Amino acid sequence: EEYGEATPDLLLKEEGFFLSPDNLDDYKDIEESIKFHKKRDRFCYVQTPGFAETFSGVFGIQNHMLYMALYPDEMDQLYARQAEWDLRFIDHCVDLGVDMIHFSDDWGSQKSTFMSPEMWGEFYVDAYKEIYGYYKSHGVELVVHHSDGYAATLVPAMIEMGIDVWQGCFSTNDIPDLINKYGGKISFMGGIENHLVDFEGWTEENNRYYIEKTIKECGNKYFIPCIAQGGPGSVFPGVYMNMCDLIDQHNIDNYGATKEELEAARLPHQI
């Protein structure tokens, strides 16, 4: 309100913009939620937005990308501060008993990235390498990053960052080609866009069609089929669990698994 438009240079002058990640009172709701779910033997994760989503929320997505071109040094400083904040936040969440930190950062639309791979890499690669490197140096075995949309041209940088699984990849990325090029260095999770299956009047037949089509195209190495959104659930009730049941049935029919084995190998569904 004091400055009007909140440009990056002005934001850097605001001492209170980044709230302290070390105020433990701010974690009380997280702590209570973890206690509630741990008593029920449930897996607990905390979701936090990445650099693109954080500052698109502050500036608006159009202004955010504009400021990356007009204020590159200032945006670098803001991303560095965000990385410092994230590392302290992660420490506190782990201390409280969180099993996983889920980073969500959408990097593209349905058919293209939001910016060139060169510009994207200039701003994001080093910051994410710091965060994901910290994860792995503290015992984290797998890093799963959510970005639902197109990001095929960013996969080499994802590998450099330390991402093990890209969750949310759309079929428009040509996933079979990505598996052929990068399988073994990174795995892909998704392949089924929500609009194809999650709609009023959805049917099991339609869900089965897209599941079987996707698995046939992508195979069973370095690929996990799922709805491409960032968490369990669906807009229309029943879609998500029906998809899970159909994927289970595919494994039973094609790989000799039993329902009991599949259930025993995973945590209960939480929707």
mmCIF file of all heavy atoms in Angstrom, residues 213-262:
data_model
loop_
_atom_site.group_PDB
_atom_site.id
_atom_site.type_symbol
_atom_site.label_atom_id
_atom_site.label_comp_id
_atom_site.label_asym_id
_atom_site.label_seq_id
_atom_site.Cartn_x
_atom_site.Cartn_y
_atom_site.Cartn_z
ATOM 1 N N LYS A 213 -4.205 -47.235 -22.273
ATOM 2 C CA LYS A 213 -3.506 -46.529 -23.356
ATOM 3 C C LYS A 213 -2.176 -45.978 -22.863
ATOM 4 O O LYS A 213 -1.129 -46.135 -23.521
ATOM 5 C CB LYS A 213 -4.384 -45.400 -23.885
ATOM 6 C CG LYS A 213 -3.737 -44.517 -24.947
ATOM 7 C CD LYS A 213 -4.725 -43.436 -25.405
ATOM 8 C CE LYS A 213 -4.118 -42.573 -26.507
ATOM 9 N NZ LYS A 213 -3.015 -41.735 -26.028
ATOM 10 N N THR A 214 -2.201 -45.359 -21.701
ATOM 11 C CA THR A 214 -0.995 -44.725 -21.155
ATOM 12 C C THR A 214 0.060 -45.757 -20.797
ATOM 13 O O THR A 214 1.245 -45.589 -21.104
ATOM 14 C CB THR A 214 -1.361 -43.870 -19.929
ATOM 15 O OG1 THR A 214 -2.312 -42.876 -20.318
ATOM 16 C CG2 THR A 214 -0.132 -43.187 -19.356
ATOM 17 N N ILE A 215 -0.360 -46.833 -20.129
ATOM 18 C CA ILE A 215 0.597 -47.874 -19.741
ATOM 19 C C ILE A 215 1.171 -48.563 -20.974
ATOM 20 O O ILE A 215 2.372 -48.861 -21.023
ATOM 21 C CB ILE A 215 -0.072 -48.893 -18.801
ATOM 22 C CG1 ILE A 215 -0.444 -48.227 -17.475
ATOM 23 C CG2 ILE A 215 0.840 -50.090 -18.550
ATOM 24 C CD1 ILE A 215 -1.223 -49.109 -16.517
ATOM 25 N N LYS A 216 0.349 -48.799 -21.981
ATOM 26 C CA LYS A 216 0.842 -49.424 -23.207
ATOM 27 C C LYS A 216 1.906 -48.551 -23.874
ATOM 28 O O LYS A 216 2.923 -49.040 -24.375
ATOM 29 C CB LYS A 216 -0.316 -49.671 -24.175
ATOM 30 C CG LYS A 216 0.108 -50.364 -25.463
ATOM 31 C CD LYS A 216 -1.085 -50.626 -26.367
ATOM 32 C CE LYS A 216 -0.653 -51.314 -27.665
ATOM 33 N NZ LYS A 216 -1.819 -51.565 -28.568
ATOM 34 N N GLU A 217 1.691 -47.225 -23.873
ATOM 35 C CA GLU A 217 2.629 -46.307 -24.512
ATOM 36 C C GLU A 217 3.918 -46.138 -23.711
ATOM 37 O O GLU A 217 5.001 -46.024 -24.284
ATOM 38 C CB GLU A 217 1.965 -44.935 -24.706
ATOM 39 C CG GLU A 217 0.841 -44.931 -25.728
ATOM 40 C CD GLU A 217 0.090 -43.619 -25.767
ATOM 41 O OE1 GLU A 217 0.296 -42.774 -24.863
ATOM 42 O OE2 GLU A 217 -0.719 -43.438 -26.688
ATOM 43 N N CYS A 218 3.790 -46.112 -22.376
ATOM 44 C CA CYS A 218 4.935 -45.754 -21.527
ATOM 45 C C CYS A 218 5.661 -46.954 -20.925
ATOM 46 O O CYS A 218 6.813 -46.811 -20.485
ATOM 47 C CB CYS A 218 4.468 -44.818 -20.405
ATOM 48 S SG CYS A 218 3.780 -43.258 -20.999
ATOM 49 N N GLY A 219 5.020 -48.095 -20.872
ATOM 50 C CA GLY A 219 5.672 -49.263 -20.315
ATOM 51 C C GLY A 219 5.685 -49.259 -18.797
ATOM 52 O O GLY A 219 5.011 -48.461 -18.143
ATOM 53 N N ASN A 220 6.494 -50.165 -18.221
ATOM 54 C CA ASN A 220 6.509 -50.328 -16.759
ATOM 55 C C ASN A 220 7.888 -50.068 -16.154
ATOM 56 O O ASN A 220 8.180 -50.507 -15.054
ATOM 57 C CB ASN A 220 6.020 -51.722 -16.379
ATOM 58 C CG ASN A 220 6.929 -52.822 -16.910
ATOM 59 O OD1 ASN A 220 7.851 -52.571 -17.677
ATOM 60 N ND2 ASN A 220 6.656 -54.057 -16.500
ATOM 61 N N LYS A 221 8.737 -49.357 -16.878
ATOM 62 C CA LYS A 221 10.050 -48.974 -16.352
ATOM 63 C C LYS A 221 10.146 -47.448 -16.314
ATOM 64 O O LYS A 221 9.863 -46.776 -17.306
ATOM 65 C CB LYS A 221 11.177 -49.542 -17.226
ATOM 66 C CG LYS A 221 11.203 -51.065 -17.338
ATOM 67 C CD LYS A 221 11.616 -51.696 -16.026
ATOM 68 C CE LYS A 221 11.903 -53.195 -16.191
ATOM 69 N NZ LYS A 221 10.739 -53.958 -16.667
ATOM 70 N N TYR A 222 10.537 -46.942 -15.161
ATOM 71 C CA TYR A 222 10.747 -45.491 -14.979
ATOM 72 C C TYR A 222 9.469 -44.689 -15.205
ATOM 73 O O TYR A 222 9.520 -43.516 -15.560
ATOM 74 C CB TYR A 222 11.862 -44.971 -15.896
ATOM 75 C CG TYR A 222 13.087 -45.836 -15.879
ATOM 76 C CD1 TYR A 222 13.517 -46.483 -17.038
ATOM 77 C CD2 TYR A 222 13.811 -46.049 -14.706
ATOM 78 C CE1 TYR A 222 14.630 -47.302 -17.026
ATOM 79 C CE2 TYR A 222 14.926 -46.869 -14.681
ATOM 80 C CZ TYR A 222 15.334 -47.496 -15.841
ATOM 81 O OH TYR A 222 16.424 -48.302 -15.829
ATOM 82 N N PHE A 223 8.330 -45.316 -14.964
ATOM 83 C CA PHE A 223 7.044 -44.628 -15.160
ATOM 84 C C PHE A 223 6.030 -45.111 -14.146
ATOM 85 O O PHE A 223 5.921 -46.315 -13.877
ATOM 86 C CB PHE A 223 6.501 -44.878 -16.574
ATOM 87 C CG PHE A 223 5.141 -44.265 -16.792
ATOM 88 C CD1 PHE A 223 4.984 -42.884 -16.845
ATOM 89 C CD2 PHE A 223 4.023 -45.074 -16.917
ATOM 90 C CE1 PHE A 223 3.728 -42.318 -17.016
ATOM 91 C CE2 PHE A 223 2.759 -44.520 -17.093
ATOM 92 C CZ PHE A 223 2.615 -43.135 -17.148
ATOM 93 N N ILE A 224 5.271 -44.157 -13.580
ATOM 94 C CA ILE A 224 4.201 -44.448 -12.627
ATOM 95 C C ILE A 224 2.930 -43.790 -13.161
ATOM 96 O O ILE A 224 2.863 -42.557 -13.256
ATOM 97 C CB ILE A 224 4.514 -43.887 -11.224
ATOM 98 C CG1 ILE A 224 5.868 -44.391 -10.732
ATOM 99 C CG2 ILE A 224 3.402 -44.245 -10.247
ATOM 100 C CD1 ILE A 224 6.387 -43.648 -9.508
ATOM 101 N N PRO A 225 1.912 -44.573 -13.538
ATOM 102 C CA PRO A 225 0.685 -43.960 -14.074
ATOM 103 C C PRO A 225 -0.159 -43.355 -12.967
ATOM 104 O O PRO A 225 -0.346 -43.949 -11.910
ATOM 105 C CB PRO A 225 -0.029 -45.157 -14.722
ATOM 106 C CG PRO A 225 0.438 -46.344 -13.935
ATOM 107 C CD PRO A 225 1.856 -46.038 -13.519
ATOM 108 N N CYS A 226 -0.681 -42.160 -13.224
ATOM 109 C CA CYS A 226 -1.604 -41.536 -12.276
ATOM 110 C C CYS A 226 -2.216 -40.300 -12.920
ATOM 111 O O CYS A 226 -1.760 -39.824 -13.968
ATOM 112 C CB CYS A 226 -0.910 -41.154 -10.967
ATOM 113 S SG CYS A 226 0.148 -39.704 -11.055
ATOM 114 N N ILE A 227 -3.255 -39.765 -12.262
ATOM 115 C CA ILE A 227 -3.763 -38.449 -12.641
ATOM 116 C C ILE A 227 -2.637 -37.446 -12.402
ATOM 117 O O ILE A 227 -1.904 -37.541 -11.424
ATOM 118 C CB ILE A 227 -5.000 -38.082 -11.804
ATOM 119 C CG1 ILE A 227 -6.139 -39.074 -12.048
ATOM 120 C CG2 ILE A 227 -5.475 -36.682 -12.138
ATOM 121 C CD1 ILE A 227 -7.384 -38.784 -11.247
ATOM 122 N N ALA A 228 -2.528 -36.465 -13.274
ATOM 123 C CA ALA A 228 -1.363 -35.583 -13.235
ATOM 124 C C ALA A 228 -1.433 -34.499 -12.167
ATOM 125 O O ALA A 228 -0.456 -33.776 -11.968
ATOM 126 C CB ALA A 228 -1.172 -34.925 -14.611
ATOM 127 N N GLN A 229 -2.532 -34.371 -11.464
ATOM 128 C CA GLN A 229 -2.624 -33.340 -10.431
ATOM 129 C C GLN A 229 -1.659 -33.631 -9.288
ATOM 130 O O GLN A 229 -1.029 -34.682 -9.239
ATOM 131 C CB GLN A 229 -4.047 -33.266 -9.892
ATOM 132 C CG GLN A 229 -4.463 -34.504 -9.114
ATOM 133 C CD GLN A 229 -5.926 -34.484 -8.725
ATOM 134 O OE1 GLN A 229 -6.736 -33.908 -9.421
ATOM 135 N NE2 GLN A 229 -6.262 -35.108 -7.619
ATOM 136 N N GLY A 230 -1.560 -32.681 -8.352
ATOM 137 C CA GLY A 230 -0.512 -32.750 -7.353
ATOM 138 C C GLY A 230 -0.822 -33.477 -6.068
ATOM 139 O O GLY A 230 -0.029 -33.433 -5.138
ATOM 140 N N GLY A 231 -1.936 -34.143 -5.957
ATOM 141 C CA GLY A 231 -2.237 -34.846 -4.717
ATOM 142 C C GLY A 231 -3.372 -35.817 -4.909
ATOM 143 O O GLY A 231 -4.015 -35.852 -5.968
ATOM 144 N N PRO A 232 -3.641 -36.648 -3.909
ATOM 145 C CA PRO A 232 -4.726 -37.624 -4.024
ATOM 146 C C PRO A 232 -6.089 -36.936 -4.028
ATOM 147 O O PRO A 232 -6.304 -35.940 -3.340
ATOM 148 C CB PRO A 232 -4.549 -38.491 -2.773
ATOM 149 C CG PRO A 232 -3.855 -37.602 -1.787
ATOM 150 C CD PRO A 232 -2.957 -36.713 -2.616
ATOM 151 N N GLY A 233 -7.004 -37.479 -4.807
ATOM 152 C CA GLY A 233 -8.341 -36.915 -4.867
ATOM 153 C C GLY A 233 -8.719 -36.537 -6.287
ATOM 154 O O GLY A 233 -7.924 -36.659 -7.217
ATOM 155 N N SER A 234 -9.929 -36.096 -6.455
ATOM 156 C CA SER A 234 -10.428 -35.683 -7.757
ATOM 157 C C SER A 234 -11.527 -34.654 -7.548
ATOM 158 O O SER A 234 -12.075 -34.513 -6.452
ATOM 159 C CB SER A 234 -10.965 -36.891 -8.538
ATOM 160 O OG SER A 234 -11.885 -37.632 -7.748
ATOM 161 N N VAL A 235 -11.840 -33.904 -8.592
ATOM 162 C CA VAL A 235 -12.916 -32.911 -8.499
ATOM 163 C C VAL A 235 -14.251 -33.619 -8.313
ATOM 164 O O VAL A 235 -15.065 -33.236 -7.469
ATOM 165 C CB VAL A 235 -12.936 -32.012 -9.754
ATOM 166 C CG1 VAL A 235 -14.131 -31.060 -9.706
ATOM 167 C CG2 VAL A 235 -11.632 -31.218 -9.871
ATOM 168 N N PHE A 236 -14.475 -34.658 -9.093
ATOM 169 C CA PHE A 236 -15.734 -35.390 -9.012
ATOM 170 C C PHE A 236 -15.536 -36.673 -8.210
ATOM 171 O O PHE A 236 -14.623 -37.457 -8.484
ATOM 172 C CB PHE A 236 -16.257 -35.685 -10.422
ATOM 173 C CG PHE A 236 -16.703 -34.440 -11.137
ATOM 174 C CD1 PHE A 236 -15.791 -33.709 -11.895
ATOM 175 C CD2 PHE A 236 -18.000 -33.963 -11.008
ATOM 176 C CE1 PHE A 236 -16.177 -32.539 -12.528
ATOM 177 C CE2 PHE A 236 -18.398 -32.795 -11.637
ATOM 178 C CZ PHE A 236 -17.484 -32.078 -12.403
ATOM 179 N N PRO A 237 -16.356 -36.883 -7.185
ATOM 180 C CA PRO A 237 -16.158 -38.015 -6.264
ATOM 181 C C PRO A 237 -16.101 -39.346 -6.999
ATOM 182 O O PRO A 237 -16.863 -39.614 -7.930
ATOM 183 C CB PRO A 237 -17.398 -37.936 -5.357
ATOM 184 C CG PRO A 237 -17.822 -36.500 -5.414
ATOM 185 C CD PRO A 237 -17.505 -36.051 -6.806
ATOM 186 N N GLY A 238 -15.166 -40.182 -6.538
ATOM 187 C CA GLY A 238 -15.064 -41.535 -7.046
ATOM 188 C C GLY A 238 -14.039 -41.743 -8.130
ATOM 189 O O GLY A 238 -13.573 -42.870 -8.343
ATOM 190 N N VAL A 239 -13.665 -40.671 -8.837
ATOM 191 C CA VAL A 239 -12.745 -40.823 -9.965
ATOM 192 C C VAL A 239 -11.398 -41.356 -9.501
ATOM 193 O O VAL A 239 -10.854 -42.318 -10.071
ATOM 194 C CB VAL A 239 -12.556 -39.485 -10.714
ATOM 195 C CG1 VAL A 239 -11.463 -39.620 -11.781
ATOM 196 C CG2 VAL A 239 -13.851 -39.032 -11.345
ATOM 197 N N TYR A 240 -10.838 -40.746 -8.469
ATOM 198 C CA TYR A 240 -9.478 -41.090 -8.050
ATOM 199 C C TYR A 240 -9.382 -42.543 -7.605
ATOM 200 O O TYR A 240 -8.496 -43.287 -8.041
ATOM 201 C CB TYR A 240 -9.029 -40.159 -6.924
ATOM 202 C CG TYR A 240 -7.599 -40.376 -6.495
ATOM 203 C CD1 TYR A 240 -6.552 -39.775 -7.194
ATOM 204 C CD2 TYR A 240 -7.288 -41.170 -5.393
ATOM 205 C CE1 TYR A 240 -5.238 -39.976 -6.807
ATOM 206 C CE2 TYR A 240 -5.976 -41.370 -5.001
ATOM 207 C CZ TYR A 240 -4.960 -40.772 -5.715
ATOM 208 O OH TYR A 240 -3.653 -40.972 -5.333
ATOM 209 N N MET A 241 -10.312 -42.982 -6.746
ATOM 210 C CA MET A 241 -10.246 -44.358 -6.253
ATOM 211 C C MET A 241 -10.522 -45.352 -7.370
ATOM 212 O O MET A 241 -9.937 -46.442 -7.407
ATOM 213 C CB MET A 241 -11.221 -44.574 -5.102
ATOM 214 C CG MET A 241 -10.682 -44.140 -3.752
ATOM 215 S SD MET A 241 -9.047 -44.842 -3.356
ATOM 216 C CE MET A 241 -9.318 -46.590 -3.554
ATOM 217 N N ASN A 242 -11.399 -44.999 -8.305
ATOM 218 C CA ASN A 242 -11.643 -45.891 -9.431
ATOM 219 C C ASN A 242 -10.383 -46.045 -10.273
ATOM 220 O O ASN A 242 -10.063 -47.162 -10.717
ATOM 221 C CB ASN A 242 -12.788 -45.360 -10.293
ATOM 222 C CG ASN A 242 -13.106 -46.279 -11.462
ATOM 223 O OD1 ASN A 242 -12.859 -45.944 -12.614
ATOM 224 N ND2 ASN A 242 -13.675 -47.447 -11.170
ATOM 225 N N MET A 243 -9.640 -44.958 -10.469
ATOM 226 C CA MET A 243 -8.372 -45.031 -11.202
ATOM 227 C C MET A 243 -7.384 -45.937 -10.465
ATOM 228 O O MET A 243 -6.706 -46.767 -11.079
ATOM 229 C CB MET A 243 -7.776 -43.631 -11.361
ATOM 230 C CG MET A 243 -8.632 -42.650 -12.139
ATOM 231 S SD MET A 243 -8.514 -42.850 -13.917
ATOM 232 C CE MET A 243 -6.894 -42.202 -14.229
ATOM 233 N N CYS A 244 -7.305 -45.777 -9.149
ATOM 234 C CA CYS A 244 -6.395 -46.620 -8.360
ATOM 235 C C CYS A 244 -6.771 -48.092 -8.475
ATOM 236 O O CYS A 244 -5.898 -48.964 -8.645
ATOM 237 C CB CYS A 244 -6.425 -46.192 -6.892
ATOM 238 S SG CYS A 244 -5.735 -44.547 -6.580
ATOM 239 N N ASP A 245 -8.070 -48.387 -8.388
ATOM 240 C CA ASP A 245 -8.525 -49.778 -8.475
ATOM 241 C C ASP A 245 -8.219 -50.367 -9.850
ATOM 242 O O ASP A 245 -7.825 -51.538 -9.964
ATOM 243 C CB ASP A 245 -10.025 -49.860 -8.197
ATOM 244 C CG ASP A 245 -10.367 -49.567 -6.736
ATOM 245 O OD1 ASP A 245 -9.454 -49.673 -5.887
ATOM 246 O OD2 ASP A 245 -11.533 -49.226 -6.457
ATOM 247 N N LEU A 246 -8.370 -49.572 -10.893
ATOM 248 C CA LEU A 246 -8.108 -50.063 -12.250
ATOM 249 C C LEU A 246 -6.617 -50.314 -12.477
ATOM 250 O O LEU A 246 -6.232 -51.283 -13.156
ATOM 251 C CB LEU A 246 -8.648 -49.071 -13.279
ATOM 252 C CG LEU A 246 -10.174 -48.989 -13.382
ATOM 253 C CD1 LEU A 246 -10.574 -47.828 -14.274
ATOM 254 C CD2 LEU A 246 -10.762 -50.297 -13.907
ATOM 255 N N ILE A 247 -5.773 -49.453 -11.923
ATOM 256 C CA ILE A 247 -4.326 -49.672 -12.031
ATOM 257 C C ILE A 247 -3.932 -50.921 -11.252
ATOM 258 O O ILE A 247 -3.106 -51.731 -11.708
ATOM 259 C CB ILE A 247 -3.558 -48.431 -11.551
ATOM 260 C CG1 ILE A 247 -3.784 -47.265 -12.523
ATOM 261 C CG2 ILE A 247 -2.054 -48.728 -11.430
ATOM 262 C CD1 ILE A 247 -3.263 -45.938 -12.021
ATOM 263 N N ASP A 248 -4.524 -51.112 -10.070
ATOM 264 C CA ASP A 248 -4.292 -52.358 -9.314
ATOM 265 C C ASP A 248 -4.681 -53.573 -10.156
ATOM 266 O O ASP A 248 -3.949 -54.571 -10.212
ATOM 267 C CB ASP A 248 -5.114 -52.358 -8.023
ATOM 268 C CG ASP A 248 -4.444 -51.589 -6.900
ATOM 269 O OD1 ASP A 248 -3.304 -51.126 -7.085
ATOM 270 O OD2 ASP A 248 -5.076 -51.460 -5.833
ATOM 271 N N GLN A 249 -5.839 -53.488 -10.786
ATOM 272 C CA GLN A 249 -6.320 -54.621 -11.569
ATOM 273 C C GLN A 249 -5.392 -54.911 -12.750
ATOM 274 O O GLN A 249 -5.154 -56.070 -13.098
ATOM 275 C CB GLN A 249 -7.741 -54.370 -12.066
ATOM 276 C CG GLN A 249 -8.422 -55.607 -12.624
ATOM 277 C CD GLN A 249 -8.545 -56.714 -11.577
ATOM 278 O OE1 GLN A 249 -9.006 -56.489 -10.455
ATOM 279 N NE2 GLN A 249 -8.112 -57.925 -11.942
ATOM 280 N N HIS A 250 -4.845 -53.864 -13.345
ATOM 281 C CA HIS A 250 -3.868 -54.048 -14.427
ATOM 282 C C HIS A 250 -2.655 -54.820 -13.918
ATOM 283 O O HIS A 250 -2.159 -55.733 -14.602
ATOM 284 C CB HIS A 250 -3.426 -52.688 -14.975
ATOM 285 C CG HIS A 250 -2.371 -52.789 -16.036
ATOM 286 N ND1 HIS A 250 -2.669 -52.863 -17.384
ATOM 287 C CD2 HIS A 250 -1.008 -52.855 -15.957
ATOM 288 C CE1 HIS A 250 -1.554 -52.974 -18.080
ATOM 289 N NE2 HIS A 250 -0.533 -52.963 -17.243
ATOM 290 N N ASN A 251 -2.179 -54.480 -12.737
ATOM 291 C CA ASN A 251 -1.016 -55.175 -12.169
ATOM 292 C C ASN A 251 -1.342 -56.632 -11.838
ATOM 293 O O ASN A 251 -0.502 -57.529 -11.992
ATOM 294 C CB ASN A 251 -0.525 -54.444 -10.921
ATOM 295 C CG ASN A 251 0.142 -53.126 -11.256
ATOM 296 O OD1 ASN A 251 0.782 -52.999 -12.292
ATOM 297 N ND2 ASN A 251 0.000 -52.142 -10.384
ATOM 298 N N ILE A 252 -2.548 -56.860 -11.364
ATOM 299 C CA ILE A 252 -2.973 -58.229 -11.061
ATOM 300 C C ILE A 252 -3.061 -59.059 -12.341
ATOM 301 O O ILE A 252 -2.578 -60.191 -12.407
ATOM 302 C CB ILE A 252 -4.328 -58.214 -10.323
ATOM 303 C CG1 ILE A 252 -4.159 -57.596 -8.916
ATOM 304 C CG2 ILE A 252 -4.932 -59.610 -10.240
ATOM 305 C CD1 ILE A 252 -5.472 -57.288 -8.224
ATOM 306 N N ASP A 253 -3.661 -58.482 -13.380
ATOM 307 C CA ASP A 253 -3.887 -59.211 -14.628
ATOM 308 C C ASP A 253 -2.602 -59.451 -15.411
ATOM 309 O O ASP A 253 -2.469 -60.466 -16.113
ATOM 310 C CB ASP A 253 -4.872 -58.451 -15.513
ATOM 311 C CG ASP A 253 -6.270 -58.386 -14.923
ATOM 312 O OD1 ASP A 253 -6.582 -59.211 -14.043
ATOM 313 O OD2 ASP A 253 -7.043 -57.492 -15.349
ATOM 314 N N ASN A 254 -1.650 -58.517 -15.309
ATOM 315 C CA ASN A 254 -0.485 -58.574 -16.192
ATOM 316 C C ASN A 254 0.814 -58.991 -15.518
ATOM 317 O O ASN A 254 1.740 -59.443 -16.204
ATOM 318 C CB ASN A 254 -0.278 -57.214 -16.863
ATOM 319 C CG ASN A 254 -1.374 -56.876 -17.849
ATOM 320 O OD1 ASN A 254 -1.319 -57.293 -19.000
ATOM 321 N ND2 ASN A 254 -2.376 -56.130 -17.396
ATOM 322 N N TYR A 255 0.888 -58.850 -14.194
ATOM 323 C CA TYR A 255 2.165 -59.114 -13.529
ATOM 324 C C TYR A 255 2.059 -60.109 -12.390
ATOM 325 O O TYR A 255 3.013 -60.309 -11.639
ATOM 326 C CB TYR A 255 2.766 -57.794 -13.025
ATOM 327 C CG TYR A 255 2.946 -56.790 -14.129
ATOM 328 C CD1 TYR A 255 2.180 -55.626 -14.157
ATOM 329 C CD2 TYR A 255 3.848 -57.008 -15.155
ATOM 330 C CE1 TYR A 255 2.321 -54.705 -15.181
ATOM 331 C CE2 TYR A 255 3.999 -56.089 -16.186
ATOM 332 C CZ TYR A 255 3.226 -54.944 -16.194
ATOM 333 O OH TYR A 255 3.377 -54.042 -17.220
ATOM 334 N N GLY A 256 0.899 -60.729 -12.232
ATOM 335 C CA GLY A 256 0.762 -61.780 -11.239
ATOM 336 C C GLY A 256 0.658 -61.302 -9.804
ATOM 337 O O GLY A 256 0.758 -62.114 -8.872
ATOM 338 N N ALA A 257 0.478 -60.004 -9.610
ATOM 339 C CA ALA A 257 0.316 -59.490 -8.242
ATOM 340 C C ALA A 257 -1.051 -59.889 -7.697
ATOM 341 O O ALA A 257 -1.979 -60.183 -8.457
ATOM 342 C CB ALA A 257 0.459 -57.975 -8.237
ATOM 343 N N THR A 258 -1.151 -59.899 -6.374
ATOM 344 C CA THR A 258 -2.453 -60.120 -5.740
ATOM 345 C C THR A 258 -2.893 -58.831 -5.059
ATOM 346 O O THR A 258 -2.072 -57.965 -4.742
ATOM 347 C CB THR A 258 -2.388 -61.237 -4.687
ATOM 348 O OG1 THR A 258 -1.547 -60.806 -3.591
ATOM 349 C CG2 THR A 258 -1.821 -62.516 -5.299
ATOM 350 N N LYS A 259 -4.182 -58.721 -4.840
ATOM 351 C CA LYS A 259 -4.715 -57.533 -4.167
ATOM 352 C C LYS A 259 -4.091 -57.390 -2.784
ATOM 353 O O LYS A 259 -3.755 -56.271 -2.354
ATOM 354 C CB LYS A 259 -6.238 -57.651 -4.048
ATOM 355 C CG LYS A 259 -6.928 -56.385 -3.549
ATOM 356 C CD LYS A 259 -6.879 -55.273 -4.569
ATOM 357 C CE LYS A 259 -7.710 -54.082 -4.120
ATOM 358 N NZ LYS A 259 -7.629 -52.946 -5.082
ATOM 359 N N GLU A 260 -3.904 -58.504 -2.099
ATOM 360 C CA GLU A 260 -3.339 -58.477 -0.749
ATOM 361 C C GLU A 260 -1.893 -57.968 -0.768
ATOM 362 O O GLU A 260 -1.491 -57.184 0.088
ATOM 363 C CB GLU A 260 -3.396 -59.866 -0.125
ATOM 364 C CG GLU A 260 -4.808 -60.381 0.178
ATOM 365 C CD GLU A 260 -5.586 -60.787 -1.059
ATOM 366 O OE1 GLU A 260 -4.947 -61.068 -2.101
ATOM 367 O OE2 GLU A 260 -6.836 -60.793 -0.990
ATOM 368 N N GLU A 261 -1.134 -58.408 -1.760
ATOM 369 C CA GLU A 261 0.256 -57.947 -1.885
ATOM 370 C C GLU A 261 0.319 -56.455 -2.164
ATOM 371 O O GLU A 261 1.161 -55.746 -1.603
ATOM 372 C CB GLU A 261 0.957 -58.718 -3.007
ATOM 373 C CG GLU A 261 1.245 -60.169 -2.680
ATOM 374 C CD GLU A 261 1.761 -60.928 -3.879
ATOM 375 O OE1 GLU A 261 1.503 -60.495 -5.024
ATOM 376 O OE2 GLU A 261 2.414 -61.964 -3.671
ATOM 377 N N LEU A 262 -0.553 -55.977 -3.033
ATOM 378 C CA LEU A 262 -0.562 -54.547 -3.367
ATOM 379 C C LEU A 262 -0.933 -53.704 -2.150
ATOM 380 O O LEU A 262 -0.325 -52.658 -1.892
ATOM 381 C CB LEU A 262 -1.542 -54.290 -4.515
ATOM 382 C CG LEU A 262 -1.168 -54.920 -5.857
ATOM 383 C CD1 LEU A 262 -2.296 -54.732 -6.863
ATOM 384 C CD2 LEU A 262 0.129 -54.320 -6.393
#
